[in-house]
Amino acid sequence: MSDTDRPGASGHGSGHEQVPGRRRRRFPRISSRAYEHPADRSALVALRRLSGFDVVFKALSGLLPERSLRLLYLSDSVRVSERQFAHLHAMLRDACHILDLEKVPPMYVTQDPQPNAMCVGLDEPIIVVTTGLVELLDEEEMRAVVGHEVGHALSGHAVYRTVLLFLTDLAVRVSWIPLGNLAVMAIVTALREWFRKSELSADRAGLLVGQDVQASMRGLMKIAGGNHLHEMNVDAFLEQAEEYEAGGDLRDSVLKILNLLPRSHPFTAVRAAELRRWASSRDHQRIMDGHYPRRDEDQDTSVSGSFRDSAASYVNDVKESRDPLMKLVGDLAGGASDLGGRVRRGFTGFTGGAPEDTGGRPPGTEPDDEGTDDGA
C-alpha cells in the first residue's frame, strides 16, 4: 500500500498551528464498509439492496430542497478553492486522495458562530463547514473533521441526511394536522437513530484521514467545551464519558434516552470514547496494515450477514455496558432472577424512597410470627 504526502500546514487564519509535514497511509479502493459502524452499515446495505430504491429517491428529488441548498451556499457562502481557504482546499483534496474518493465534492464555508459541519446532497454531495468550526480547530483537528465529512460522502450518507433535513422541516410544517406530525416524526426518529450511528462511522473515517487519534480527541473536546484547550484534558474528558455510561440508576437510563432522542448526533464525550475504543481495536489496525474490504466487493455483500453483524454489535454493547438499563436488559435476556426487585430498586428516585420489601407477600399484609423480619 502506498503512502501520501500531507500538504504542509500553512497556518492560514487564526487558530491554526504550524505543524511539521508527515506521511499518511492511503487506502486505494477502500469500501466504506471498512469503517462503518455495524448498525449504520446494515441499514445502508438494506436500503441499497431494496428494489427500486434509487428510482424512488430520484422521484423525490423534485421535492427535496437540494437545488435550493446549492444556490443558497453558492450565493451566500464562500466556496473553498485554491484561491479561497486554500488550507481547507488542500485538506479536502488530501482526504479524498487518502480514501480514494475520485470526485472531490464542493466545499463551502458559511458564516455561523456555532461550530458545525455537514455533508448534504442527492446527486452530488456538498460539504459545508461553519466559521465557528474553522476558527475553533487547529490544522490537525480540522483535518479529522474534513475526513469525517468525506467519509459521509463515500458512504452515501449525504442522501439520507438531506432526506432527514427535509422531513424535519416537513414535520414542523404539518404539526397542525391531526396525526400527520406523528407519522412524519416516527420516520424522523428512525432516521435520527440511523444518523447517530452514521456519525460514529464518519468519526472513524476522520481518523483514517488524519491518522492522529489525539487530534481527533482534541477536536471533539473543543466542540464540547470551546477553544480553551489549556483548561481541558483529553483523559479527563474521556473519564466524563465513562462516568456517563456507567453512572446512575434506571431513572437516569431513561433520562439519557429522552435526552438523546431529539438529537441528530451522539453526545460528544460518548463519541470520543467510542472512537478511542475503535482506534485501539484490531479492526482499525487491520485497515492500517492494508487489510480492508474493497469497493469492487460491495456487490457481493450479504444483507443477512450485515444484519448479523449489527445484531452481534448490539448484543456485545448490551453485554459490556455498565448502564443500569442495559444491565437489566442483559439479565432479562439471560433469565436472571429477582428482576422485579431490580426494577423497583432502580426506579427508587421516582418514588422518593426505598421500596418496601414485602418478602413476596401482598402489599399491606403482615408477616407470620415465624417469618423473617423486613429487609432494609
Side-chain angles (χ1 to χ4, degrees):
M1 180 172 58
S2 59
D3 295 335
T4 180
D5 287 315
R6 190 191 75 78
S10 60
H12 292 299
S14 62
H16 296 284
E17 59 186 23
Q18 189 78 15
V19 294
R22 62 183 175 87
R23 299 178 69 83
R24 290 181 172 83
R25 294 290 230 174
R26 69 180 301 263
F27 310 102
R29 306 304 299 162
I30 188 172
S31 168
S32 60
R33 291 182 292 116
Y35 58 80
E36 285 167 349
H37 188 282
D40 168 25
R41 185 168 64 244
S42 63
L44 286 178
V45 169
L47 286 173
R48 291 164 179 165
R49 298 294 285 269
L50 282 176
S51 178
F53 178 74
D54 292 337
V55 175
V56 170
F57 265 98
K58 287 186 180 297
L60 283 174
S61 63
L63 300 175
L64 297 176
E66 180 184 26
R67 296 176 68 88
S68 175
L69 284 173
R70 290 182 181 278
L71 290 173
L72 175 64
Y73 291 121
L74 186 63
S75 63
D76 204 33
S77 301
V78 174
R79 183 162 56 191
V80 172
S81 68
E82 293 179 350
R83 294 183 297 164
Q84 301 187 115
F85 290 100
H87 70 292
L88 293 181
H89 181 67
M91 288 183 198
L92 177 61
R93 292 179 61 85
D94 189 45
C96 292
H97 181 58
I98 289 173
L99 294 181
D100 202 12
L101 185 63
E102 293 181 2
K103 188 168 185 179
V104 179
M107 184 175 182
Y108 293 89
V109 176
T110 189
Q111 173 67 20
D112 187 341
Q114 182 70 26
N116 197 14
M118 64 178 176
C119 182
V120 293
L122 291 177
D123 296 326
E124 295 181 3
I126 61 174
I127 295 172
V128 181
V129 297
T130 65
T131 52
L133 188 68
V134 175
E135 293 164 4
L136 176 67
L137 304 182
D138 69 28
E139 200 81 11
E140 293 303 288
E141 295 157 5
M142 193 67 197
R143 186 177 301 281
V145 169
V146 172
H148 174 110
E149 299 306 326
V150 170
H152 276 313
L154 182 59
S155 289
H157 291 161
V159 173
Y160 313 110
R161 175 63 165 165
T162 306
V163 172
L164 177 58
L165 289 172
F166 172 73
L167 289 178
T168 302
D169 180 64
L170 180 63
V172 174
R173 297 188 184 192
V174 302
S175 59
W176 59 273
I177 302 176
L179 300 180
N181 187 45
L182 291 177
V184 175
M185 284 308 299
I187 301 173
V188 169
T189 299
L191 274 172
R192 279 177 177 160
E193 168 60 18
W194 160 76
F195 194 76
R196 286 190 291 269
K197 295 294 189 256
S198 78
E199 284 297 295
L200 301 180
S201 299
D203 284 343
R204 297 174 179 184
L207 179 58
L208 292 178
V209 167
Q211 299 175 25
D212 184 343
V213 68
Q214 287 302 313
S216 293
M217 296 294 104
R218 289 198 313 270
L220 288 169
M221 184 174 65
K222 288 166 75 171
I223 288 172
N227 196 25
H228 302 282
L229 190 59
H230 62 288
E231 298 282 356
M232 296 184 286
N233 179 278
V234 169
D235 291 334
F237 185 60
L238 292 172
E239 287 170 9
Q240 289 181 221
E242 184 176 353
E243 181 179 344
Y244 172 83
E245 292 176 337
D249 53 19
L250 286 175
R251 174 186 57 175
D252 293 324
S253 299
V254 173
L255 293 175
K256 290 177 187 178
I257 295 172
L258 294 178
N259 286 338
L260 186 62
L261 281 177
R263 295 174 58 96
S264 62
H265 288 60
F267 295 118
T268 315
V270 176
R271 285 172 63 185
E274 176 71 22
L275 184 59
R276 171 63 70 87
R277 282 192 291 268
W278 188 73
S280 60
S281 71
R282 178 60 181 158
D283 288 341
H284 174 253
Q285 187 57 52
R286 283 182 57 80
I287 296 174
M288 297 304 296
D289 290 340
H291 305 294
Y292 52 81
R294 264 67 173 177
R295 277 170 231 166
D296 52 12
E297 302 166 354
D298 284 351
Q299 60 184 2
D300 300 323
T301 302
S302 167
V303 176
S304 60
S306 295
F307 279 123
R308 282 195 300 270
D309 291 344
S310 178
S313 173
Y314 276 117
V315 169
N316 188 63
D317 287 347
V318 170
K319 185 182 300 183
E320 295 185 357
S321 175
R322 289 171 294 168
D323 181 88
L325 182 58
M326 291 299 99
K327 285 183 179 179
L328 182 64
V329 170
D331 289 343
L332 182 61
S337 61
D338 194 28
L339 288 177
R342 293 183 185 219
V343 172
R344 288 196 300 273
R345 290 193 294 273
F347 281 96
T348 296
F350 281 128
T351 60
E356 181 183 359
D357 185 355
T358 63
R361 306 182 313 278
T365 62
E366 296 297 327
D368 295 333
D369 292 340
E370 298 178 356
T372 58
D373 293 335
D374 286 348

